[in-house]
Amino acid sequence: MCGIVGLFLKDEALEPRLGSMLTDMLITMTDRGPDSAGIAIYGADNPAVSKLTVQSDTPDQAFATLEADLGAALGLDVRLRRKDTHAVLELPRGQLAEAAAALAGINPDIRVMSSGDTVEIYKEVGLPTEVAERFDLRAMSGTHGIGHTRMATESLVTTMGAHPFNTGPDQCLVHNGSLSNHNRLRRKLRREGMHIETENDTEVGAAYLTWRMQNGATLGEALEGSLIDLDGFFTFVFGTKDGFGVVRDPIACKPAVMAETDQYVAFGSEYRALVNLPGIEQARVWEPEPATVYFWSHGDTSTPTEKAA
């Protein structure tokens, strides 16, 4: 049992409140997942900048000279913003792969939490309220985000085992459920060149969706493919640079509820995660159908896609 939340903003006036609203939603789901928590926030897109969010168990030492060391290794201007055990490294657009490789040489104990142009992921062991306070998540702004409270079933309670999992630029997944074929699929994806760090089944699900999109699938097609290729029970919320997608397995035994207004689309494992959102009383509220893909994109202002697989 885990808790998932997601919020996609249509109204730009709400963007300064994204972190605060997502944090309230996440904390409401504490009893569904008290082991660890995490949030992916998609912020403003600076066309000149890409970002790596990194983590260290010894941040005072690891981050002390990291800005200068990475800049020297790349021969580029690098900026570091630290938040507790995490730091966001800002570098010129198009240098993500080179920066991640250089980091491994500078300090192999520094872990990459997220990579992309707009996404920042913050996750740690602890109660959601503690994690939110450590990273000052309420103060963050953005266009959309997803979050997760974890009750561990498939792997150890560690920072790396917490959600969201980032497996492609600006792509990440949160998951409630259990995948039964993740060991076999992990081996296949690694043979295909996908980088998978943990034994967590959710990271395999994230890598699968990234792999499908790297091979030409749209987000909708990748989510449809998960209904065929992934065994087990799952509710997925998958974040991208432009929005997020939702899918539940054909049995749909894991709870999920959605709400939509002119200002936002919201997802929660339970309705109580949504009750404090503005205008929720007038929202269209529904339970996502089994084996049906839903996705919303800031690049498409039309009615969201809903497709039964």
Side-chain angles (χ1 to χ4, degrees):
M1 182 173 73
C2 297
I4 301 175
V5 297
L7 190 58
F8 173 92
L9 299 181
K10 304 177 185 179
D11 184 353
E12 293 182 0
L14 289 178
E15 291 180 7
R17 298 174 55 190
L18 177 68
S20 178
M21 291 189 290
L22 261 179
T23 296
D24 285 340
M25 295 168 71
L26 193 73
I27 290 173
T28 304
M29 293 289 95
T30 295
D31 60 354
R32 295 192 62 86
D35 298 334
S36 56
I39 280 184
I41 294 281
Y42 289 84
D45 187 9
N46 181 338
V49 174
S50 293
K51 298 186 285 189
L52 291 175
T53 308
V54 298
Q55 185 270 354
S56 173
D57 293 335
T58 57
D60 290 340
Q61 177 182 352
F63 300 155
T65 63
L66 182 58
E67 182 178 81
D69 292 344
L70 183 59
L74 297 173
L76 298 170
D77 183 32
V78 174
R79 292 287 181 265
L80 182 147
R81 291 186 284 111
R82 179 178 168 183
K83 284 194 175 185
D84 198 83
T85 58
H86 289 43
V88 178
L89 295 163
E90 298 183 345
L91 55 149
R93 184 71 57 98
Q95 300 296 320
L96 289 172
E98 292 81 356
L103 276 175
I106 293 169
N107 186 340
D109 294 327
I110 292 176
R111 309 175 180 113
V112 176
M113 299 289 101
S114 64
S115 172
D117 297 333
T118 63
V119 70
E120 298 177 17
I121 290 180
Y122 300 91
K123 58 182 184 178
E124 276 291 2
V125 173
L127 294 170
T129 185
E130 297 167 353
V131 174
E133 289 173 3
R134 290 177 68 174
F135 299 117
D136 195 20
L137 297 178
R138 290 186 182 277
M140 296 191 70
S141 63
T143 58
H144 58 293
I146 61 178
H148 188 269
T149 63
R150 185 178 184 221
M151 183 175 289
T153 58
E154 291 292 337
S155 59
L156 296 175
V157 179
T158 64
T159 302
M160 293 302 289
H163 305 202
F165 282 96
N166 168 240
T167 50
D170 290 304
Q171 298 170 0
C172 61
L173 177 69
V174 293
H175 165 216
N176 181 21
S178 180
L179 303 180
S180 57
N181 65 335
H182 64 96
N183 287 320
R184 177 176 58 80
L185 190 55
R186 183 184 292 105
R187 292 191 292 269
K188 170 183 170 61
L189 291 170
R190 282 174 171 163
R191 289 195 299 270
E192 294 288 337
M194 297 301 300
H195 179 66
I196 301 174
E197 293 192 63
T198 74
E199 297 305 305
N200 190 289
D201 61 330
T202 304
E203 188 179 15
V204 174
Y208 167 83
L209 294 170
T210 293
W211 172 69
R212 286 292 306 270
M213 287 187 284
Q214 286 179 351
N215 283 277
T218 65
L219 172 59
E221 290 166 345
L223 290 170
E224 290 165 24
S226 73
L227 295 166
I228 299 169
D229 295 332
L230 302 183
D231 294 334
F233 304 110
F234 57 88
T235 294
F236 284 166
V237 180
F238 189 76
T240 71
K241 187 174 182 178
D242 292 328
F244 66 57
V246 173
V247 70
R248 303 169 79 195
D249 68 81
I251 297 176
C253 67
K254 298 300 181 181
V257 63
M258 301 200 71
E260 183 170 15
T261 73
D262 291 339
Q263 292 184 296
Y264 59 80
V265 178
F267 177 96
S269 291
E270 300 178 36
Y271 177 73
R272 58 194 172 100
L274 314 180
V275 294
N276 291 323
L277 291 173
I280 191 65
E281 299 84 359
Q282 288 78 44
R284 179 175 77 93
V285 178
W286 78 100
E287 180 181 351
E289 294 291 332
T292 301
V293 172
Y294 303 79
F295 53 93
W296 289 262
S297 169
H298 287 107
D300 183 1
T301 57
S302 63
T303 302
T305 298
E306 302 179 13
K307 184 174 181 180

